[in-house]
Amino acid sequence: MDLRAKLTILADAAKYDASCSSSGSRRKGDRNGLGNSEGIGICHSYTPDGRCVSLLKILFTNHCIYDCQYCINRVSSDTPRARFVPSEVVALTLDFYRRNYIEGLFLSSGVIRSADYTMEQMAEVARSLREDHGFRGYIHLKAVPGASPELIERAGLHADRLSANLELPTQPDLDRLAPDKQIVTVEQTMRHIHARREQAEEERRGSQRAPTFVPAGQTTQLIVGATASPDAAYLAAADRLYKNHGLRRVYYSAYSPIPRPDARLPAKSPPLWREHRLYQADWLMRHYGFSASELTTPDAPDLPLDHDPKLAWALRHRALFPLDLNTAAREALLRVPGLGVHSVDRILAARRVRPLRVDDLARLGASVRKVRPFVTALGPNPEAHTLDRVDLQARLVPARQLDLFAAPTPRVVTPDPAASRLLVPVPDALPGALPTAGPALGRLT
Ligand code: SF4
């Protein structure tokens, strides 16, 4: 199989791995304009300093010895297969980089032979790029769960970011759909990356010449809606990963039905709003001091779809409000619906100068309409005392139609060569017409 055919299959197969951020936009190119946000092969990610970079996003191979039922690349799937060798991935990365199409590489893979063998191949790509070619661009590698610490070490010395995917939030979920996977194995790999990163940071505090190890941190991906686990299970898993293994991000990816699915899988994707609410709840855990257990309740283990998790929490705890804008602690103000981290910091700075009125909120960048029912300040604010939970929900939850939150049409994959074109002309190493691809939908290690 030539390089073009491999690239076609393995770039397409990488596109559903959400643990590398991508725009998710669906704007097609046309004959008159420039660019196409629908193509495969290039995705966007963010470096630690906030820069958005374009990455060549491919699989090393879509062969896999495992049989995860939610994945098109599972051993029992009849999808077309391909496999690079390390020198091919290196050549492609350099060719794309020299033409300024990309600023880095996102390399994932199915598991071939063993976790160690697969990790060794990917580590060799990163080593060759850095040591043989002096490549200084961004490299994100998949960390294969269960790979030996020596191989993770080798990969981490050259990669900016590693990600070991947990995929499902509980062991019973994995037992049901991915029987070869153990949460404990995935977390062992994460634990090793975390410990080694801390060691490298410590060494660099002593000497700036000490080598870096995964400087952009580690991430993981959770598939949402492939099993019946509620949002509480996803948030508990994410909370544990942030606290125990110092993850930079957990990515939530709504399950997409695959061709010829196992009967245990749902027929439809979950509502995309569910993925969105999980990201909001995750943000609250990372930046607003919420714990996972506060964001859902035993009676309602799923996040509400029709309003955000912070408002849901405030409505459940109406008795804790109103807060006095002029005296409340920062941690308490962060829990007020409508107040973000920047607004709270501005409030704290402004109230040192003079007492605040509710109307000052607009000047400080907050939504007066949203915040007013939850705070008091200098001067009258009847809404803070007269509105109960039901009034508030009616007033603050947008009057959207219920069908907005219904499940979307299932995203079953069908062959669509036109949607599988590369974003950019292929390098000289790949002369000829642009490639097309058959169906491929991947969930990766
Ligand atoms: S999710 Fe990963 S390990 Fe499981 S079948 Fe797919 S590629 Fe293989």
Side-chain angles (χ1 to χ4, degrees):
M1 185 182 288
D2 69 13
L3 195 52
R4 171 186 305 282
K6 290 184 188 180
L7 182 61
T8 300
I9 292 172
L10 295 172
D12 192 52
K15 68 186 177 186
Y16 285 90
D17 192 321
S19 62
C20 170
S21 319
S22 194
S23 67
S25 168
R26 293 179 172 273
R27 191 176 49 260
K28 285 187 178 174
D30 61 27
R31 285 166 192 270
N32 303 318
L34 185 68
N36 177 354
S37 70
E38 272 213 336
I40 56 167
I42 310 283
C43 74
H44 300 102
S45 192
Y46 291 88
T47 57
D49 62 3
R51 279 182 311 124
C52 177
V53 293
S54 304
L55 304 179
L56 173 62
K57 184 176 181 180
I58 50 176
L59 299 193
F60 185 78
T61 178
N62 65 344
H63 288 278
C64 192
I65 56 175
Y66 294 153
D67 203 25
C68 309
Q69 291 304 312
Y70 43 79
C71 177
I72 191 74
N73 299 324
R74 68 191 185 279
V75 66
S76 57
S77 167
D78 60 0
T79 193
R81 307 282 181 173
R83 175 184 164 180
F84 287 124
V85 294
S87 59
E88 290 173 327
V89 179
V90 169
L92 278 173
T93 306
L94 295 175
D95 280 336
F96 276 82
Y97 191 82
R98 288 197 182 104
R99 283 160 180 77
N100 217 13
Y101 301 151
I102 58 162
E103 292 154 283
L105 170 69
F106 172 90
L107 183 64
S108 185
S109 183
V111 181
I112 34 174
R113 293 196 207 170
S114 67
D116 275 355
Y117 180 78
T118 312
M119 196 71 243
E120 189 174 15
Q121 301 290 303
M122 293 206 289
E124 172 55 18
V125 171
R127 187 210 61 77
S128 177
L129 279 168
R130 296 280 195 237
E131 293 185 355
D132 299 342
H133 301 279
F135 182 72
R136 312 242 337 132
Y138 185 85
I139 299 178
H140 178 162
L141 293 185
K142 192 61 59 183
V144 184
S148 72
E150 293 74 33
L151 290 166
I152 297 290
E153 169 82 13
R154 217 187 284 174
L157 286 174
H158 298 299
D160 293 281
R161 172 165 283 180
L162 292 178
S163 52
N165 281 353
L166 191 60
E167 306 287 18
L168 297 175
T170 66
Q171 188 58 49
D173 284 347
L174 286 174
D175 293 343
R176 186 175 162 80
L177 294 180
D180 305 300
K181 289 191 169 173
Q182 300 288 322
I183 283 188
V184 64
T185 310
V186 182
E187 292 201 31
Q188 250 168 18
T189 300
M190 292 176 174
R191 187 173 300 112
H192 175 71
I193 296 169
H194 183 44
R196 186 61 188 83
R197 273 196 84 219
E198 292 199 321
Q199 182 194 344
E201 282 172 10
E202 183 62 37
E203 288 168 0
R204 282 179 67 78
R205 276 193 280 275
S207 163
Q208 280 302 303
R209 310 188 96 173
T212 58
F213 185 88
V214 195
Q218 58 172 330
T219 60
T220 194
Q221 168 176 275
L222 287 170
I223 300 168
V224 179
T227 63
S229 281
D231 293 341
Y234 288 86
L235 297 176
D239 203 22
R240 186 179 71 245
L241 299 182
Y242 287 130
K243 285 180 178 148
N244 295 352
H245 309 305
L247 261 71
R248 187 63 65 87
R249 287 287 303 275
V250 173
Y251 289 93
Y252 304 91
S253 174
Y255 165 72
S256 298
I258 56 175
R260 295 173 291 288
D262 184 273
R264 289 166 292 180
L265 288 163
K268 292 179 174 180
S269 299
L272 289 181
W273 275 97
R274 184 176 175 195
E275 189 184 286
H276 180 62
R277 296 299 182 211
L278 280 166
Y279 274 114
Q280 289 180 317
D282 185 284
W283 189 261
L284 292 178
M285 292 195 298
R286 287 188 292 134
H287 300 289
Y288 285 75
F290 283 84
S291 65
S293 57
E294 290 178 293
L295 292 165
T296 57
T297 66
D299 294 339
D302 284 311
L303 298 166
L305 293 182
D306 61 356
H307 54 290
D308 69 73
K310 193 179 184 190
L311 177 57
W313 180 87
L315 292 174
R316 283 198 301 275
H317 296 86
R318 181 66 180 132
L320 299 180
F321 298 98
L323 295 177
D324 188 335
L325 274 185
N326 288 302
T327 58
R330 182 175 190 274
E331 297 70 34
L333 288 174
L334 283 173
R335 293 186 171 230
V336 175
L339 287 186
V341 172
H342 292 307
S343 323
V344 168
D345 288 341
R346 284 192 203 116
I347 288 168
L348 296 178
R351 79 187 189 186
R352 279 188 215 114
V353 180
R354 65 166 174 80
L356 299 178
R357 298 175 172 277
V358 172
D359 290 340
D360 289 325
L361 285 168
R363 189 174 52 79
L364 297 170
S367 159
V368 178
R369 183 189 71 86
K370 232 177 159 184
V371 177
R372 186 187 287 275
F374 296 98
V375 297
T376 57
L378 203 62
N381 179 20
E383 282 188 27
H385 298 284
T386 55
L387 297 177
D388 65 13
R389 177 184 162 148
V390 176
D391 295 328
L392 277 170
Q393 183 151 359
R395 178 177 290 218
L396 295 174
V397 176
R400 294 188 172 115
Q401 297 294 312
L402 273 181
D403 61 5
L404 185 62
F405 302 102
T409 311
R411 291 186 284 160
V412 177
V413 176
T414 52
D416 180 8
S420 300
R421 292 203 178 98
L422 283 170
L423 270 173
V424 294
V426 292
D428 293 343
L430 303 166
L434 291 170
T436 57
L441 179 61
R443 299 290 177 194
L444 311 165
T445 49

